[in-house]
Amino acid sequence: MAIRHQVIEHPPEAVWAVLEDPELFGEWVVGTSASWALDERWPQIDAALAYSVRLGPWSYEGRTVVRRTEPPRWLELEAESGRLGTARIAIEMRPWGGHTLVIVDEHPLRGLGGVLHAAPLDLLIQLRHRSMLPRLARTVERTSPKADTAGPPEKRSPATQVGG
């Protein structure tokens, strides 16, 4: 399974504020070049956002649907990727002192990805998450009002890696 976690030095509400903005997904989801809401209900259950992926001259548009939401604690998504099938992406936010422990659990769910799901695919997803979680932390840092976190400013960092 591809599970990874990271502490983000902002409260869960600040992380949630980024997750509930469909246009910000393109900033922190690795591989996505842009994202936008398909309806006004995001992130309510069955609401969807669209995303685009560009690789050189090629581009692809996919769709991600909310399957479970409990603000500011849970967001579970089903990302649709055409012939590759769908993936389940669960994002959990736990209060961690004045910060947030973000846990991402992603795995292929349906279609070709689900059929071919094996350890090498989990490794690729882990590598993606290794970049994605720090990008999420930077997006939260950029979009959140400045809060006085522990320690002087020169000793602060936007995120602290916990492992995974």
Side-chain angles (χ1 to χ4, degrees):
M1 294 180 77
I3 300 172
R4 190 156 185 88
H5 56 277
Q6 179 166 329
V7 172
I8 295 181
E9 295 181 355
H10 286 274
E13 294 78 16
V15 178
W16 184 261
V18 169
L19 298 180
E20 72 179 354
D21 186 338
E23 293 183 7
L24 290 178
F25 271 69
E27 290 188 26
W28 63 271
V29 176
V30 173
T32 303
S33 57
S35 58
W36 57 96
L38 290 174
D39 59 53
E40 301 162 355
R41 299 177 313 112
W42 183 269
Q44 295 175 24
I45 293 188
D46 293 329
L49 66 77
Y51 63 90
S52 63
V53 176
R54 297 193 196 295
L55 184 59
W58 297 282
S59 67
Y60 169 80
E61 286 188 4
R63 193 173 93 113
T64 298
V65 179
V66 175
R67 296 298 183 208
R68 177 182 175 202
T69 182
E70 293 178 29
R73 188 166 181 257
W74 278 98
L75 183 62
E76 276 190 62
L77 308 169
E78 185 172 358
E80 300 172 357
S81 299
R83 293 183 178 150
L84 293 176
T86 68
R88 173 191 170 266
I89 303 152
I91 305 167
E92 179 183 0
M93 285 123 324
R94 295 182 187 172
W96 204 258
H99 307 266
T100 305
L101 176 62
V102 178
I103 303 166
V104 178
D105 174 0
E106 179 177 354
H107 62 269
L109 188 61
R110 304 176 196 188
L112 185 60
V115 171
L116 299 176
H117 185 208
L121 183 56
D122 280 343
L123 177 61
L124 290 174
I125 294 171
Q126 281 283 354
L127 291 173
R128 180 173 174 249
H129 290 176
R130 186 172 285 185
S131 295
M132 187 173 77
L133 284 168
R135 287 172 68 165
L136 175 60
R138 287 190 297 272
T139 304
V140 171
E141 180 69 26
R142 183 182 60 76
T143 60
S144 294
K146 298 295 178 203
D148 185 27
T149 56
E154 64 275 3
K155 300 216 178 197
R156 291 185 211 150
S157 65
T160 304
Q161 187 69 32
V162 177

